[in-house]
Amino acid sequence: MVPSPSWISRINVPSPTAIRQILYGVILGVSLSIASTSLAVYYQARKRERRAAQYQPRPIELRREEVLSGVTGLIGNTPLIRINSLSDALGVEILGKTEFLNPGGSVKDRVALRMIEDAEKNGLLYPYTGSRIFEGTVGSTGISIATIAVARGYNATIIMPDDVAEEKVKALLALGAEVERVRPASIVDKKQYVNLARRRAIDFGKRSSLDRANSLTDNGSPHLLKSPPSVVISTLSTHATSGADADPRADEDIISKPRGFFADQFENKSNFEAHFDGTGPEIWRQTDGRVDAFVSGAGTGGTIAGVGQYLKSMNEDVIVALADPEGSGLYNKVKYGVMFDRKEAEGTKRRHQVDTVVEGIGINRLTNNIELALPIIDDAFRITDAEAVSMSRYLVHNDGLLLGSSSACNLVACVKLVRQMGWKDGQKIVTILCDSGTRHYSKFWNDEYLHTANIPNDSHIVLDLLDTPITSSSE
Ligand SMILES: *[C@@H]1O[C@H](CO)[C@@H](O)[C@H](O)[C@H]1NC(C)=O
Ligand SMILES: *[C@@H]1O[C@H](CO)[C@@H](O)[C@H](O)[C@H]1NC(C)=O
Ligand SMILES: *[C@@H]1O[C@H](CO)[C@@H](O)[C@H](O)[C@H]1NC(C)=O
């Protein structure tokens, strides 16, 4: 027998058998805890393997040897570029998804295509039936819808606030869309552009079914008078669906009826899905599954929700950060849980819903697509107009990239995130280059306009931002 060490005799342990039992107990406990830890590690590894199996790595297709079917064939599958100036300055990889290369000129092409395709799949829309698509938008989604509508045999009516950049209206008119411009108003106002788009879709549906019924009555088939008006409201969130056809596939007559279709990018989940099934997987492939953060603004919330959720489903450690312009309530919602904006509280908010030169992102109400985004947003950055303008000038001078306001906002947020995380070892930050500067000549790229708005038009703010030493908790 091994003599008991002195400490055992001091605590007065009765017998060697008891010591053995204690030892066994300790060994059992330790091995159990090792077993459970390794079990957890094992399950995590399995989860990763399963995800990896779902993800089929394939190169991003080059369209060299392929003939695409029409303009919609050009939508999506956009290249990812390294923003060289910012990446070199920060020692990380700032990567931009070049959505401005879509045929309609913006990331919204993906959303418009998916909304229209889903409506066709669900039997709500049929091409070449005289049907008309209605949407309320600050412009880009309208241009995308107008483009796809022509290609697919629909007409489009776009309702937009009257303060958006003039070049967007010109593009819409050139594409043959009907444009209605309204005073910016709150969402509770019936004349707010989104509400008006829904209203117009309903009116169109009622009118066209009435016209049709009348012409058929002349031909001696009055039964159609009783058929419901051909109004299609895509979202369930509205009470106006009562006029929709119960079973749209019921018969030929109903199918060939002209319909008013309200696309509703703010509420419809097709928006989210376009990014969850398209943009997200593309980014994962293009970075070979190595992405540390995704940064995006939110106008409807579809992009950040769809891409963010997809990337997190592949690797839960991916950081999702929101870039929010001045006047938007989302920053406060993410940071403090309330949609409170200081400008609004002080009564300095003017007639704009979101008072900023940045168009297309920022919002002051919760929509279905924003709700999908909120749970996965890890951090938010408030970007001032001056910062966004500064970034756009910096990029044009250093990279030859002429970008729109939301892209510039996104890139300022990328820099802020990198500084906050203290990253400098090649971490990959992906963001969206939503549209080109050519969509923004009348405001964001108009030096005189900026001068009257008292917004500096050089890149010194970005230079300062890149120069500031890294602090652990700067905003
Ligand atoms: C509606 O679209 C059809 C086919 O796409 C076109 O022939 C027609 O001129 C359009 N109507 C209007 C009023 O724009
Ligand atoms: C979105 O629109 C489709 C038709 O395009 C409709 O069937 C669906 O119910 C809508 N979904 C939501 C969540 O609103
Ligand atoms: C800023 O705007 C002024 C006109 O207001 C213009 O002369 C100048 O070139 C602009 N500077 C930059 C860096 O774009």
Side-chain angles (χ1 to χ4, degrees):
M1 251 218 54
V2 186
S4 303
S6 58
W7 61 269
I8 289 183
S9 47
R10 265 208 309 278
I11 56 172
N12 197 19
V13 173
S15 74
T17 328
I19 295 172
R20 220 175 294 135
Q21 277 168 354
I22 290 171
L23 272 175
Y24 286 156
V26 168
I27 291 167
L28 190 71
V30 167
S31 45
L32 264 181
S33 83
I34 290 173
S36 67
T37 319
S38 56
L39 213 65
V41 168
Y42 169 77
Y43 275 116
Q44 276 210 337
R46 278 292 303 274
K47 218 164 121 189
R48 287 220 179 87
E49 273 167 34
R50 270 205 307 278
R51 280 200 211 113
Q54 275 171 13
Y55 155 58
Q56 313 263 311
R58 72 184 166 97
I60 289 295
E61 298 106 70
L62 297 173
R63 288 159 176 154
R64 232 173 6 178
E65 285 148 30
E66 195 185 349
V67 173
L68 300 164
S69 169
V71 77
T72 52
L74 287 169
I75 296 175
N77 202 15
T78 54
L80 190 66
I81 59 165
R82 179 176 191 267
I83 314 278
N84 289 329
S85 62
L86 295 176
S87 302
D88 292 344
L90 292 167
V92 296
E93 301 292 297
I94 307 260
L95 307 173
K97 190 86 171 125
T98 53
E99 292 302 304
F100 59 82
L101 294 180
N102 281 302
S106 83
V107 63
K108 297 294 191 176
D109 277 9
R110 296 175 184 265
V111 177
L113 181 63
R114 181 65 184 250
M115 288 192 299
I116 293 171
E117 277 182 351
D118 284 353
E120 287 174 344
K121 255 187 231 136
N122 295 335
L124 300 173
L125 263 183
Y126 295 88
Y128 301 104
T129 48
S131 295
R132 187 172 277 276
I133 301 169
F134 294 79
E135 185 64 310
T137 156
V138 290
S140 294
T141 309
I143 294 170
S144 300
I145 285 180
T147 305
I148 298 162
V150 179
R152 295 264 177 141
Y154 304 105
N155 301 105
T157 296
I158 306 303
I159 325 272
M160 60 204 292
D162 62 9
D163 59 347
V164 304
E166 193 60 36
E167 46 271 49
K168 292 185 186 164
V169 180
K170 287 183 180 150
L172 283 168
L173 293 173
L175 284 161
E178 217 170 64
V179 180
E180 194 176 336
R181 307 182 74 184
V182 296
R183 299 283 300 269
S186 145
I187 188 72
V188 296
D189 190 329
K190 275 194 287 194
K191 291 202 180 109
Q192 194 265 357
Y193 62 98
V194 176
N195 295 334
L196 203 62
R198 181 188 294 114
R199 182 76 249 151
R200 293 284 185 263
I202 294 170
D203 290 347
F204 178 87
K206 283 183 181 156
R207 201 168 58 235
S208 63
S209 66
L210 214 67
D211 288 352
R212 192 181 155 81
N214 286 339
S215 68
L216 284 165
T217 318
D218 294 344
N219 296 339
S221 33
H223 68 281
L224 265 179
L225 268 174
K226 279 186 250 120
S227 81
S230 51
V231 182
V232 180
I233 305 293
S234 70
T235 46
L236 304 169
S237 64
T238 162
H239 300 297
T241 42
S242 53
D245 302 327
D247 179 3
R249 290 185 194 276
D251 62 50
E252 258 324 293
D253 272 333
I254 291 179
I255 287 173
S256 64
K257 273 206 296 196
R259 289 151 186 264
F261 176 71
F262 174 45
D264 205 0
Q265 56 167 342
F266 288 95
E267 307 297 343
N268 199 287
K269 215 183 163 193
S270 303
N271 179 347
F272 164 86
E273 277 157 0
H275 295 295
F276 189 86
D277 297 340
T279 327
E282 286 172 29
I283 290 171
W284 188 255
R285 281 206 300 275
Q286 286 168 314
T287 54
D288 216 3
R290 282 192 293 272
V291 41
D292 295 286
F294 175 69
V295 174
S296 172
T300 61
T303 310
I304 195 164
V307 175
Q309 278 202 24
Y310 179 83
L311 294 178
K312 286 222 182 214
S313 78
M314 300 303 282
N315 173 8
E316 53 213 325
D317 298 333
V318 174
I319 292 173
V320 176
L322 173 83
D324 210 33
E326 287 180 280
S328 168
L330 288 179
Y331 172 85
N332 284 307
K333 181 70 191 171
V334 171
K335 288 291 216 191
Y336 314 111
V338 283
M339 270 211 156
F340 166 87
D341 176 59
R342 199 155 38 84
K343 271 193 178 177
E344 216 163 347
E346 285 167 2
T348 55
K349 182 173 167 285
R350 289 184 305 229
R351 57 198 186 86
H352 306 265
Q353 168 79 8
V354 172
D355 195 10
T356 165
V357 294
V358 175
E359 279 181 12
I361 57 172
I363 188 165
N364 275 318
R365 62 180 199 276
L366 288 178
T367 65
N368 286 347
N369 283 300
I370 297 276
E371 302 269 13
L372 290 170
L374 287 174
I376 52 114
I377 297 179
D378 299 300
D379 207 347
F381 296 92
R382 165 152 286 166
I383 311 299
T384 65
D385 283 355
E387 286 173 328
V389 169
S390 180
M391 179 58 85
S392 70
R393 273 50 176 184
Y394 177 89
L395 291 169
V396 93
H397 291 134
N398 292 285
D399 301 80
L401 273 171
L402 177 61
L403 296 175
S405 51
S406 45
S407 311
C409 259
N410 288 345
L411 285 164
V412 176
C414 286
V415 173
K416 289 191 175 187
L417 177 70
V418 169
R419 304 315 307 254
Q420 180 178 292
M421 301 297 293
W423 284 344
K424 50 181 171 25
D425 306 309
Q427 286 88 348
K428 285 187 179 164
I429 302 95
V430 179
T431 194
I432 303 287
L433 307 181
C434 317
D435 66 1
S436 149
T438 56
R439 285 274 168 82
H440 301 262
Y441 283 139
S442 56
K443 285 165 88 177
F444 191 73
W445 276 101
N446 180 346
D447 285 332
E448 276 160 46
Y449 181 92
L450 294 180
H451 183 72
T452 51
N454 224 357
I455 299 170
N457 66 340
D458 59 45
S459 48
H460 81 264
I461 297 177
V462 170
L463 292 171
D464 291 349
L465 210 56
L466 293 172
D467 261 357
T468 343
I470 292 178
T471 60
S472 54
S473 66
S474 69
E475 195 219 81

